[in-house]
Amino acid sequence: MSYRVIALDLDGTLLDDQKRILPESIEALNQARKAGIQVLIVTGRHHVAIHPFYQALQLDTPAICCNGTYLYDYNAKKVLESDPLTTQETQDVLNLIKQTDIHHLVYADDAMLYDELSPPVQRSLNWADTLPLHQRPNLVKVDDFYQAMHDAQSIWKIATTTPNHNELHALVEKIEQQVGLECEWSWVDQVDIAKKGNSKGRRLQRWVEANGMKMSDVVAFGDNFNDLSMLEHVGLGVAMGNASDEVKSRAKLVTKKNTQPGIAETIHKYILS
C-alpha cells in the first residue's frame, strides 16, 4: 500500500548507541520527504533535547514529545496542544519518590529540572557538552523541587531511573494505584510518569487525523514499550532488532538493530519502491 507518514522514535531507534543518526537513515528520510512523505519525530524526550536531530533531518513537522504529552511546533517554538500534569499530581509523585533512592528528572516548560547530580543527570550533561551551544538541552538544577513545581506553567512528565528493578516496580504500583497516573517503561531501568491517557499513539493519531489522514497511512519505528501504542495501531509498525522480544512480537515487522541501516532499508522497500 501507499504510506504518507513516517513516525520515528529517537533513542534506540533512529539514534545509534552514540546518539547519532546513521547517514543511511538521513538519506532515505530525505528521499521520502522529496516524495511527499511527512516525517514526524515521536519521542519520550523533552523538546529541548531534540535540537540536533530535528535540525539534521531539516523537518518542518511538529514533534510529539514526552510520550505524547504534548505536540511542539519546533519552528514557531510553541506548544500546539498538551495534557500536562497538575502541580498536585507532581507533588504526590515526588512524595513517593522521596521515600526511595530512585533518580528523577522533572520535565517542565522549557527545561529538565533536577535537584541532585545523579549519574543519569551527569550523562545528560556530558552529552550536552559535546553539542554546539544552540543545540544543547536546558538542564537546570533547582534547590526546591516543590517550589519549582509551583512556578512552572506546564509539567510534562517525571522521568525515573534506577538499577534496582524491584524498587522501580514497587514505585510504579504505588503511583498507578494512589495517584492514578500513567507509568510507561522507556528502557529496562527507566519509567516515565505522565497524565493518564497520554501516549505516543494517541497524540500521533490526533495529528494524523487533523491532517486528513488515517493511522493506516503511517509507518512507525520504535524499540520499547512506550512505542507500542503507535506500533500496534499504524499501517506498518516496525520494531528495531534491539527491541525486547515482547515488543518485537507485537509489531508487524522487525528490522535490524539501531546501529545498522534497518530504517533506511525498510523505507526503500515499503515506501520508496
Side-chain angles (χ1 to χ4, degrees):
M1 69 173 289
S2 176
Y3 296 107
R4 302 171 65 186
V5 177
I6 299 173
L8 295 154
D9 169 55
L10 287 177
D11 296 283
T13 301
L14 182 64
L15 307 183
D16 67 12
D17 296 344
Q18 283 73 47
K19 307 301 181 189
R20 301 172 303 194
I21 304 176
L22 298 180
E24 296 92 339
S25 297
I26 292 178
E27 182 180 2
L29 288 166
N30 283 340
Q31 290 181 36
R33 290 176 60 229
K34 289 177 182 177
I37 308 299
Q38 300 214 56
V39 176
L40 206 70
I41 287 177
V42 186
T43 181
R45 288 182 177 234
H46 195 299
H47 68 267
V48 300
I50 65 173
H51 293 292
F53 319 120
Y54 203 91
Q55 291 169 6
L57 295 174
Q58 299 180 323
L59 300 181
D60 56 6
T61 49
I64 294 173
C65 301
C66 289
N67 298 324
T69 295
Y70 64 106
L71 183 68
Y72 186 76
D73 186 326
Y74 195 88
N75 294 314
K77 294 182 171 53
K78 67 177 183 179
V79 174
L80 299 178
E81 60 179 39
S82 65
D83 293 292
L85 293 166
T86 66
T87 301
Q88 187 60 55
E89 288 169 337
T90 306
Q91 288 185 346
D92 290 342
V93 172
L94 291 176
N95 288 338
L96 292 172
I97 293 175
K98 289 295 184 182
Q99 300 171 28
T100 72
D101 294 321
I102 293 173
H103 304 302
H104 58 286
L105 277 168
V106 175
Y107 291 39
D109 296 331
D110 293 313
M112 295 177 287
L113 311 177
Y114 66 96
D115 60 355
E116 63 178 55
L117 195 59
S118 63
V121 171
Q122 188 61 62
R123 286 195 295 271
S124 295
L125 291 170
N126 292 343
W127 172 67
D129 288 341
T130 68
L131 300 171
L133 283 174
H134 70 282
Q135 289 186 341
R136 292 181 183 178
N138 189 23
L139 287 116
V140 177
K141 188 178 189 304
V142 297
D143 295 324
D144 185 340
F145 250 136
Y146 295 97
Q147 184 59 50
M149 296 309 95
H150 280 288
D151 294 340
Q153 291 186 346
S154 297
I155 303 162
W156 308 126
K157 77 170 187 180
I158 302 169
T160 62
T161 183
T162 177
N164 187 334
H165 293 182
N166 290 334
E167 188 174 40
L168 197 52
H169 276 285
L171 177 66
V172 166
E173 186 175 347
K174 287 181 179 179
I175 290 171
E176 290 179 341
Q177 292 181 357
Q178 299 179 24
V179 192
L181 297 178
E182 198 83 42
C183 295
E184 285 198 301
W185 292 83
S186 55
W187 201 247
V188 293
D189 59 353
Q190 180 172 315
V191 169
D192 295 332
I193 303 156
K195 198 81 169 181
K196 196 171 185 64
N198 285 342
S199 71
K200 291 184 176 184
R202 175 177 172 269
R203 191 69 63 186
L204 176 61
Q205 182 173 356
R206 285 175 60 87
W207 181 85
V208 166
E209 293 178 350
N211 284 272
M213 297 176 287
K214 301 176 182 179
M215 288 291 271
S216 58
D217 296 323
V218 181
V219 177
F221 294 87
D223 74 305
N224 225 299
F225 291 97
N226 62 336
D227 297 312
L228 287 173
S229 62
M230 63 176 182
L231 295 184
E232 293 184 315
H233 296 99
V234 296
L236 182 61
V238 185
M240 305 303 293
N242 47 285
S244 70
D245 289 341
E246 183 177 348
V247 172
K248 290 177 183 177
S249 70
R250 294 167 66 178
K252 295 182 178 69
L253 179 72
V254 178
T255 189
K256 294 177 179 178
K257 295 181 179 180
N258 63 317
T259 55
Q260 301 169 307
I263 289 177
E265 292 175 5
T266 303
I267 290 172
H268 283 292
K269 181 175 180 178
Y270 292 93
I271 299 176
L272 297 177
S273 61

